[in-house]
Amino acid sequence: MPTNIIRRCAKPVCLAVLALLALSPANAQLRLNFGSKSPFRKLQIAEMAITNMYVDSVDEQKLVEDGIRGMLEKLDPHSSYTTAKETKLMQESLNGSFDGIGIQFNMQQDTLLVIQTIVNGPSEKAGILPGDRIVMVNDTAIAGVKMPREEILRKLRGRKGTKVRLGVVRRGIKDTLSFTVTRDKIPMKTIDGYYMIRPGIGYIRIGSFGATTYKEFMSCVKSLQARGMRHLILDLQDNGGGYLQAAVAIANEFLRHDDLIVYTRGRKSRVQEYRAQGNGSLLQGKVAVLINEFSASAAEIVTGAIQDQDRGVVIGRRSFGKGLVQRPVDFPDGSMLRLTIAHYYTPSGRCIQKPYTKGDRKDYDRELDERFKHGELYSSDSVHFADSLKYYTLGLHRPVYGGGGIMPDIFVPLDTTQFTSMHRQLAAKGIIVSANLRYVDECRKQLKKQYPDFPTFNGKFEIPQKVIDEIIAEGKKQNVTPKDNAELVATLLSLRIQLKALVARDLWDMTEYFQVMNEQNHIVMRAVDELMK
């Protein structure tokens, strides 16, 4: 074999080995076999042979990445590989910030429409206003050219301190305006909303568990306690998880000293326990945790700890069932391997990971569809657990089950009548969002003047009939029509509520959106009833 090929491969191999050594627990035995008959050596020779001798040219980087993905496909459903670009985006969402210009926007008819500017952020400081349309970035047109959203984001984002020139079209002004915005760190919130839902009852919705979640959460708690909060609704519906450390920190706020929160155990990693310190700010008062079939991972850790320690009531539908711990392995080019190394267990000893067959991701991904078909989302009687999976809570010794997500204490079925087929089709085709954007864009100043604060808006606002008529007319053009008058009446009812929530979001923020929508959310309302007892 040519020596130049061996020499070319030596450095990456060494870097990979060093990375594994750095990540391995002190008591783990890392087996390194570099012998002539080792599987590692076989893989290395195959890669070198294809790269250097194959009849056609190959992309060596892609070849290796495909090989990594091929190995992972034979493992569990959550071990994964991400490219450098994918890894960067993933870390931004978890680490809680990225460098950019600080706007919330939507694409309307191939044009970037500014919905909100982040308070005291770069764009607000430069003079960008809600309702502005950004049509140029550094002399490059981004409107009317069908530029992909990802490409627009790439042009707007950049290193902190760098400048970007924006061409802006503003309603009422003939000429295109020009602004120079200095990019800065833009915080990404993981708390979707918080407010006093009833006297004495606070509500906090966590969208994901990232590096800033605990700090955000405690800020919300202090604000709500200052407003008289005695009990809390913790909404983890649709929360797909995130950092284990963030989940542990939040669970700690509810539990007594030395209460077990979660523990992890793997084939090559030692058992690691996480216990409460007893210094939490939510040790008193009632707690309701809300979950559904999309609540997973870190969300299940918090839910399992509160349920197993009998600290609160869990309401909703059975959670997703992800009880696997991934460890990141960073590559020199910025890409990352996230390898499952352990299971996590709730305080009672439950592993809530749902069953899977190694290498079979298709059936795993369809498991939620199977729940739907079997009627589980409509009736708790459709959920069956084996007696071997029965455990007991640590305080009241209530039966709970592992092996397939967390079953709530109070089951709330999915209400298929809340959103009609017609409503779902209008939403799927983007007709509702487009109509809302046009309305807010045209009437923002008038709305702000007429409704100076959210309580006034919430008490008096009704979506104009002309907006409803536009949606129905556009739906008809796209073959979205009601099957009968009853469906039309039900659609109009839910449509008015959703549009009111969307207008509230665009005038204020997501907290106001949830204040409108939650009054129609059966899981949230059941929690209110429980905490008011």
Side-chain angles (χ1 to χ4, degrees), residues 97 107 118 135 213 235 239 382 384 387 411 442 489 521 528:
S97 67
M107 297 304 297
I118 291 178
V135 296
T213 303
D235 193 346
N239 184 316
S382 299
H384 302 288
D387 285 342
F411 179 83
E442 293 171 2
V489 171
N521 186 305
V528 169

Side-chain angles (χ1 to χ4, degrees), residues 348-350 385-393 398-403:
S348 67
R350 290 184 287 169
F385 292 101
D387 285 342
S388 60
L389 299 174
K390 182 184 287 187
Y391 296 82
Y392 294 91
T393 62
R398 297 179 297 114
V400 288
Y401 292 87

Side-chain angles (χ1 to χ4, degrees), residues 155-416:
K155 290 182 178 296
L156 292 176
R157 292 184 179 181
R159 293 192 313 276
K160 177 181 177 180
T162 59
K163 298 181 184 298
V164 58
R165 295 189 313 279
L166 304 179
V168 170
V169 173
R170 180 171 294 169
R171 184 175 295 276
I173 297 179
K174 183 179 179 181
D175 297 326
T176 299
L177 304 176
S178 180
F179 296 89
T180 298
V181 179
T182 303
R183 298 182 179 99
D184 203 348
K185 283 288 181 187
I186 308 301
M188 293 182 64
K189 296 186 295 182
T190 59
I191 302 291
D192 289 339
Y194 73 101
Y195 63 100
M196 294 297 294
I197 193 167
R198 296 291 187 272
I201 302 176
Y203 169 93
I204 301 176
R205 182 181 175 105
I206 304 179
S208 62
F209 287 90
T212 63
T213 303
Y214 176 69
K215 183 178 179 181
E216 292 177 52
F217 178 76
M218 291 311 299
S219 176
C220 297
V221 168
K222 290 176 183 178
S223 175
L224 293 176
Q225 286 177 335
R227 296 184 230 173
M229 180 181 74
R230 301 189 306 277
H231 313 302
L232 175 64
I233 296 173
L234 180 61
D235 193 346
L236 302 181
Q237 294 180 87
D238 304 322
N239 184 316
Y243 286 152
L244 180 146
Q245 291 83 355
V248 168
I250 287 176
N252 176 75
E253 294 299 313
F254 298 93
L255 302 177
R256 299 162 302 181
H257 175 67
D258 207 39
D259 278 354
L260 184 61
I261 296 172
V262 67
Y263 66 94
T264 63
R265 183 172 63 210
R267 182 176 66 93
K268 288 288 187 177
S269 57
R270 59 184 174 82
V271 174
Q272 185 169 1
E273 292 186 344
Y274 298 85
R275 292 184 176 272
Q277 300 174 29
N279 59 349
S281 58
L282 295 165
L283 300 178
Q284 306 298 322
K286 299 177 184 178
V287 179
V289 182
L290 314 186
I291 59 172
N292 62 10
E293 55 276 7
F294 300 109
S295 306
S297 188
E300 293 172 303
I301 289 175
V302 174
T303 305
I306 290 176
Q307 186 179 53
D308 281 6
Q309 297 291 358
D310 290 300
R311 175 62 186 90
V313 61
V314 178
I315 301 174
R317 293 184 292 276
R318 180 162 67 105
S319 63
F320 181 86
K322 181 183 181 295
L324 302 176
V325 181
Q326 281 75 47
R327 171 167 288 174
V329 178
D330 297 313
F331 292 105
D333 65 351
S335 59
M336 177 188 290
L337 168 70
R338 290 178 60 81
L339 188 67
T340 296
I341 62 164
H343 289 86
Y344 71 72
Y345 299 82
T346 68
S348 67
R350 290 184 287 169
C351 177
I352 56 87
Q353 173 62 43
K354 62 185 178 182
Y356 64 88
T357 301
K358 288 182 180 178
D360 187 358
R361 300 198 180 193
K362 188 175 181 181
D363 283 347
Y364 186 83
D365 292 339
R366 290 193 304 203
E367 192 267 343
L368 289 182
D369 292 334
E370 291 302 313
R371 293 192 200 183
F372 186 87
K373 291 177 183 177
H374 293 157
E376 177 187 324
L377 302 185
Y378 313 114
S379 171
S380 59
D381 294 337
S382 299
V383 186
H384 302 288
F385 292 101
D387 285 342
S388 60
L389 299 174
K390 182 184 287 187
Y391 296 82
Y392 294 91
T393 62
L394 303 184
L396 301 176
H397 301 286
R398 297 179 297 114
V400 288
Y401 292 87
I406 290 176
M407 190 67 186
D409 302 309
I410 299 173
F411 179 83
V412 179
L414 180 67
D415 184 0
T416 56

Side-chain angles (χ1 to χ4, degrees), residues 11-28:
K11 186 176 180 181
V13 170
C14 290
L15 287 171
V17 172
L18 288 172
L20 282 173
L21 287 169
L23 284 167
S24 298
N27 64 339

Side-chain angles (χ1 to χ4, degrees), residues 435-436 439 463-472 499:
N436 170 73
Y439 171 65
I463 198 75
Q465 184 61 40
K466 69 170 187 175
V467 180
I468 300 292
D469 293 340
E470 288 175 9
I471 291 173
I472 301 301
L499 285 166

